[in-house]
Amino acid sequence: KLAESGGGSVQAGGSLRLTCTMTIDADYTYGAKCMAWFRRPPEKGREGVAAIASDGSASVVDSVKGRFTISKDTAQNTLYLEMNNLKPEDAAEYFCAAGRLGSLCRAGASWGAFDFWGQGTQVTVSS
């Protein structure tokens, strides 16, 4: 239901744009969802990066604030993560997720609170 793309290898300071395309079931309205990006750095656990609610309100974690931007195109059922000034510590597998979190939709929301997840896309940042 969710498919990420746009990962790759960049040098520190570079940029990437991740895309998450969602296939919608008839009973799961895209507009009612909380959409989010998570990442899993090498040998570490999964962590939330950014989230955007159905009303468009967005949040990102402090470690990427000012560098990453989450956005969505509701008509195209697509979620984006614009990543600028990438650092080696941003290297990870990135996942998108969708869920009905309501007022709990934020960048720090638990992975387990989401209903659907993508397979991930790898981001490598060299120093």
Side-chain angles (χ1 to χ4, degrees):
K1 295 183 179 295
L2 301 178
E4 303 93 340
S5 61
S9 296
V10 296
Q11 290 188 326
S15 299
L16 285 173
R17 187 193 200 198
L18 304 184
T19 299
C20 174
T21 302
M22 184 168 188
T23 302
I24 305 301
D25 285 337
D27 61 348
Y28 199 79
T29 303
Y30 177 75
K33 296 185 187 66
C34 172
M35 303 290 291
W37 287 98
F38 288 80
R39 66 185 180 186
R40 183 170 58 205
E43 301 180 2
K44 294 185 179 180
R46 191 182 294 110
E47 59 186 24
V49 177
I52 186 166
S54 56
D55 65 358
S57 57
S59 62
V60 298
V61 294
D62 288 344
S63 60
V64 305
K65 196 164 291 183
R67 301 187 297 119
F68 289 15
T69 303
I70 185 171
S71 62
K72 66 177 180 177
D73 183 333
T74 303
Q76 298 296 322
N77 294 336
T78 304
L79 179 72
Y80 303 100
L81 185 67
E82 187 75 35
M83 305 186 295
N84 298 311
N85 190 21
L86 282 160
K87 302 177 179 180
E89 53 263 40
D90 295 319
E93 190 168 17
Y94 283 73
F95 303 85
C96 61
R100 293 182 173 130
L101 274 68
S103 62
L104 297 179
C105 184
R106 62 184 185 278
S110 171
W111 172 266
F114 290 82
D115 301 315
F116 299 105
W117 308 269
Q119 294 299 308
T121 186
Q122 189 68 42
V123 171
T124 303
V125 184
S126 57
S127 57

